Amino acid sequence: MSNPSLLILAGDGIGPEVMAEVRKIIDWFGTKRGISFDVTEDLVGGAAYDVHGVPLSDATMEKAQEVDAVLLGAVGGPKYDKLDFSVKPERGLLRLRKEMDLYANLRPAQCFDALSDFSSLKQEVVSGLDIMIVRELTSGVYFGEPRGIIKEGNERVGINTQRYTESEIARVARSAFELARKRGNKVCSMEKANVMESGILWRDVVQEIHDAEYPDVELSHMYADAGAMQLTRWPKQFDVIVTDNLFGDLLSDLAAMLTGSLGMLPSASLGAPMANGRPKALYEPVHGSAPDIAGSGKANPCACILSFAMALRYSFDLGAEADRLEAAVNAVLAKGIRTADLLNTEGVTPASTSEMGDAVIAALEESL
Ligand code: NAD
């Protein structure tokens, strides 16, 4: 049987720097765990624009459709700020998400023990926190029609439309219930059914899918504004949260920051199952290309490394190996090895990007 395939799109800025550390880890799994991937590398974002004049070539898009998973670094940078909107680096990422139809965006908020004093919240509120926000990514108010800015009499009117079909709600609800079964078996669905018809439908459909297909999973419903309050008051009450595109955009950023640095946050975007049963999948750190530190060796590679851990778990059914990698990151932090973004004390020398990657490899070795 052939190895599972992985397309690596390192992108711009710190993207290639953090991805180099993931490559070391992929090699480690090959030599030490006998888990090998057929890895192809290609260009996205500004790097693709420089070569092809577009932020994602058709050939790269085709490859992305064929592989078992895509791992992306980051795109963008000041060099490309003045480009036409249609060829901006970010359009490459949007094209991937759209054409792969990645409708479920998974954003974990997990507190690593050694970083529990790094949150702006009290330690007891965040220590041990492990929640997953599932955000609907391909519909809702960011895509609904009609939209635009029109003239009404003497003034301009800005219009966006929140629109969800039953099937769009049902498929992301299934993603959330499936995930919950592999975690704490609890889903909280968030919308604004008190003031929005799309929220009423959202609540109804999530409940119907639950009752028909996932009665074993504990389901609750919450208004999204109350959800934001509860997330900062006592986030540990949640396991999986499922919500729409707009509320998910805000709530996932809020939840992610409960745990500290942007340099630690992975994400996954999943679509429908392919012929081999694996979901279409794109894994990427939440952070951008960080032009302010690009090229200085200061980038924290953990978000990208943890994105690869998500790939092991969700694309390749290697949950135990994902646990091993996450535990290795935790062990490195527990030893006090930190990149600059994780240090709030003077006088401690930060680890460089590659030193952090090497420390994770050393911790993986210790796990054997
Ligand atoms: P950013 O995430 O790149 O950086 C925000 C801040 O966090 C910066 O100070 C940066 O140094 C720091 N930071 C980010 N990642 C880090 C890491 N791994 N280790 C240490 N520090 C880290 O966001 P921005 O500055 O708003 O955007 C910069 C560029 O990235 C823009 O062109 C933007 O469009 C693009 N962007 C891309 C993505 C993506 O590729 N998914 C996401 C967000 C922003």
Side-chain angles (χ1 to χ4, degrees):
M1 220 173 68
S2 60
N3 293 329
S5 53
L6 199 54
L7 173 63
I8 290 189
L9 303 172
D12 308 319
I14 62 168
E17 299 170 37
V18 294
M19 199 60 85
E21 303 313 305
V22 177
R23 285 305 304 256
K24 290 183 193 168
I25 285 163
I26 292 173
D27 291 347
W28 184 88
F29 274 100
T31 49
K32 297 297 172 81
R33 302 294 300 153
I35 298 166
S36 297
F37 297 92
D38 287 338
V39 178
T40 326
E41 294 202 44
D42 212 330
L43 302 172
V44 70
Y49 177 82
D50 287 341
V51 175
H52 302 298
V54 285
L56 188 81
S57 72
D58 292 343
T60 312
M61 188 64 241
E62 246 171 67
K63 276 188 212 163
Q65 296 283 21
E66 283 161 11
V67 291
D68 293 318
V70 180
L71 190 58
L72 186 135
V75 295
K79 180 179 165 194
Y80 309 104
D81 281 352
K82 295 218 158 56
L83 288 181
D84 185 73
F85 184 69
S86 63
V87 287
K88 274 195 182 295
E90 291 75 6
R91 302 294 295 177
L93 181 52
L94 292 179
R95 181 175 179 195
L96 280 166
R97 287 179 183 159
K98 184 164 186 287
E99 294 192 19
M100 292 170 76
D101 198 13
L102 304 172
Y103 54 80
N105 183 220
L106 277 52
R107 292 271 302 263
Q110 194 178 7
C111 187
F112 288 89
D113 295 343
L115 294 181
S116 60
D117 60 345
F118 213 76
S119 170
S120 53
L121 297 188
K122 287 192 203 117
Q123 206 162 345
E124 77 243 32
V125 177
V126 291
S127 112
L129 180 71
D130 180 10
I131 60 184
M132 178 72 81
I133 304 228
V134 181
R135 165 189 171 195
E136 199 290 324
L137 200 59
T138 52
S139 186
V141 74
Y142 293 159
F143 297 94
E145 298 283 348
R147 64 185 296 161
I149 300 175
I150 60 164
K151 197 91 183 190
E152 258 183 26
N154 285 333
E155 64 172 353
R156 289 170 298 163
V157 181
I159 301 171
N160 290 94
T161 304
Q162 166 85 334
R163 183 179 190 277
Y164 269 108
T165 64
E166 277 187 273
S167 54
E168 285 168 344
I169 301 167
R171 64 184 187 172
V172 74
R174 286 192 183 95
S175 300
F177 288 126
E178 291 289 340
L179 266 172
R181 275 185 175 161
K182 293 184 188 152
R183 300 170 38 96
N185 217 34
K186 259 190 348 185
V187 171
C188 180
S189 170
M190 295 188 186
E191 27 53 23
K192 291 277 288 175
N194 48 343
V195 287
M196 295 170 77
E197 286 76 4
S198 58
I200 296 173
L201 183 69
W202 182 282
R203 188 175 282 224
D204 285 352
V205 173
V206 172
Q207 188 68 50
E208 286 160 16
I209 296 289
H210 169 268
D211 296 349
E213 301 171 35
Y214 301 92
D216 54 301
V217 180
E218 190 184 322
L219 172 65
S220 59
H221 302 274
M222 203 178 271
Y223 298 138
D225 49 344
M229 285 197 273
Q230 290 301 325
L231 268 170
T232 41
R233 192 188 68 82
W234 191 242
K236 283 188 253 184
Q237 68 187 281
F238 298 111
D239 175 28
V240 174
I241 293 172
V242 63
T243 189
D244 74 14
N245 203 343
L246 174 63
F247 298 138
D249 198 358
L250 309 182
L251 292 171
S252 62
D253 271 16
L254 188 158
M257 272 298 116
L258 297 175
T259 65
S261 166
L262 206 47
M264 294 298 300
L265 299 172
S267 80
S269 301
L270 306 181
M274 299 183 282
N276 61 12
R278 294 183 171 127
K280 287 241 160 152
L282 171 77
Y283 299 88
E284 56 179 323
V286 169
H287 63 71
S289 58
D292 54 336
I293 56 165
S296 66
K298 286 187 186 157
N300 182 351
C302 289
C304 202
I305 291 171
L306 293 169
S307 300
F308 176 61
M310 290 186 86
L312 291 173
R313 181 173 289 121
Y314 298 118
S315 280
F316 304 117
D317 253 333
L318 293 167
E321 300 301 331
D323 289 347
R324 178 192 299 278
L325 182 51
E326 287 166 357
V329 171
N330 205 8
V332 168
L333 298 172
K335 283 183 191 158
I337 302 171
R338 309 275 168 94
T339 41
D341 57 307
L342 302 178
L343 284 171
N344 44 16
T345 42
E346 298 284 314
V348 183
T349 311
S352 69
T353 309
S354 67
E355 284 166 349
M356 197 69 179
D358 291 343
V360 174
I361 301 268
L364 283 169
E365 284 289 327
E366 282 164 23
S367 77
L368 293 176

Coordinates of all heavy atoms in Angstrom, one line a residue, residues 39 59 106 141 263 328:
V39 N 5.6 13.2 0.6 CA 5.5 14.7 0.8 C 5.8 15.4 -0.5 O 6.9 15.1 -1.1 CB 6.5 15.2 1.9 CG1 6.4 16.7 2.0 CG2 6.1 14.5 3.2
A59 N -2.2 24.2 -11.2 CA -1.5 22.9 -11.0 C -1.5 22.6 -9.5 O -1.7 21.5 -9.0 CB -0.1 23.0 -11.6
L106 N -11.8 23.8 12.5 CA -11.6 23.3 13.9 C -10.5 24.1 14.6 O -9.4 24.2 14.1 CB -11.1 21.8 13.9 CG -12.1 20.7 13.8 CD1 -13.1 20.9 12.6 CD2 -11.4 19.4 13.7
V141 N -23.1 34.8 6.7 CA -23.2 36.2 6.3 C -22.0 36.7 5.4 O -22.1 37.7 4.7 CB -23.3 37.1 7.6 CG1 -22.0 37.2 8.4 CG2 -23.9 38.5 7.3
G263 N 1.5 32.0 18.8 CA 2.5 31.0 18.3 C 2.3 29.6 18.7 O 3.0 28.7 18.3
A328 N 5.1 15.9 23.6 CA 6.4 16.3 23.5 C 6.5 17.9 23.5 O 7.4 18.4 24.2 CB 7.0 15.8 22.1

